[in-house]
Amino acid sequence: MEWTGAKYADGPTAQAEIWIDAPPEQVWALVSDITLMPELSEELQAAHWVSPETRPGVGAMFVGTSRHEALGEWSTTSHVVEWDPPRAFAWAVADPENPSATWRFTLDPVNGGTALRQWVRMGPGRSGLSVAIDAMPEKEEKIVFVRMREFESAMRTVVAEIKRRAEEATR
C-alpha cells in the first residue's frame, strides 16, 4: 500500500485478491463460514452468529472478538449487508447505517477457478482507531495509513489461506 495521506473521514479502502483453482461454490463455503475466520486471522479471535438457528443472509448479525497489541481486546456486532451465494458477502461493523468499517468478499468465476477479493472501507462511523486519532490529531494520516497497511497485510494472509484450503480440498 502506498502513502495516500488519507484521513479517517475519507473512508480509505484496502483490498487483497488472489486466483483460486477451485469453483466459486467451494470458495464460498470457506468465505461465508465466519467461525473459520479466526483460524485465518491474527487479530480476529472468535466469531459467532447471534442467532445460529437462523440461516445467514442480509440482516443476520454476528459477533466478532478481536485483539490488537496497540488497541487491546474488543467485541463488535456486525450486520450482513450483502449475501449473494456464491458471489458476494459483505458486512457492516456496529451500525449498518454508519459502520465503523465495511468488509466484503467477492468471488468471480475466472479461467475455470475463482478470483477472490477481500475489501475493507474504514468508517464513516467511529471506531477504536478514532480514540487514537482524537489523542493525536496531528498524526491522523499516519495512524490511518498504518492501520490500512495492517488490514491489507492481514487480508493477503486470509485470501492465501482460503486459496490453500480450497485447492487442497479439490485434490
Side-chain angles (χ1 to χ4, degrees):
M1 170 169 243
E2 292 186 29
W3 173 262
T4 63
K7 293 183 178 271
Y8 191 86
D10 296 332
T13 64
Q15 70 177 19
E17 54 188 293
I18 200 164
W19 182 81
I20 301 173
D21 189 11
E25 294 78 12
Q26 190 169 335
V27 177
W28 175 262
L30 297 170
V31 302
S32 63
D33 182 357
I34 63 155
T35 63
L36 172 67
M37 291 302 131
E39 292 179 31
L40 313 182
S41 168
E42 287 187 31
E43 191 168 304
L44 183 62
Q45 303 298 300
H48 67 273
W49 292 106
V50 171
S51 298
E53 66 282 352
T54 305
R55 291 181 58 103
V58 172
M61 296 182 294
F62 62 92
V63 174
T65 301
S66 300
R67 182 176 29 239
H68 185 281
E69 182 179 303
L71 302 171
E73 186 170 310
W74 68 96
S75 292
T76 57
T77 299
S78 292
H79 304 259
V80 176
V81 294
E82 185 175 9
W83 184 268
D84 182 17
R87 308 215 18 113
F89 172 31
W91 61 97
V93 180
D95 178 355
E97 300 301 318
N98 192 36
S100 59
T102 302
W103 293 83
R104 187 171 198 252
F105 281 110
T106 56
L107 300 80
D108 293 306
V110 174
N111 297 330
T114 304
L116 173 65
R117 180 179 308 109
Q118 187 179 17
W119 172 91
V120 63
R121 182 184 65 232
M122 190 180 287
R126 290 181 57 83
S127 71
L129 204 62
S130 301
V131 175
I133 293 168
D134 290 348
M136 300 174 282
E138 72 285 358
K139 295 183 178 180
E140 179 176 2
E141 292 91 344
K142 182 173 182 172
I143 292 167
V144 167
F145 178 70
V146 167
R147 188 63 170 144
M148 297 310 291
R149 274 195 358 208
E150 289 175 345
F151 283 161
E152 186 180 61
S153 176
M155 288 186 298
R156 278 195 305 265
T157 299
V158 167
V159 298
E161 182 60 16
I162 290 169
K163 173 183 175 75
R164 186 190 71 73
R165 289 176 184 225
E167 291 179 353
E168 188 175 272
T170 61
R171 293 186 183 126

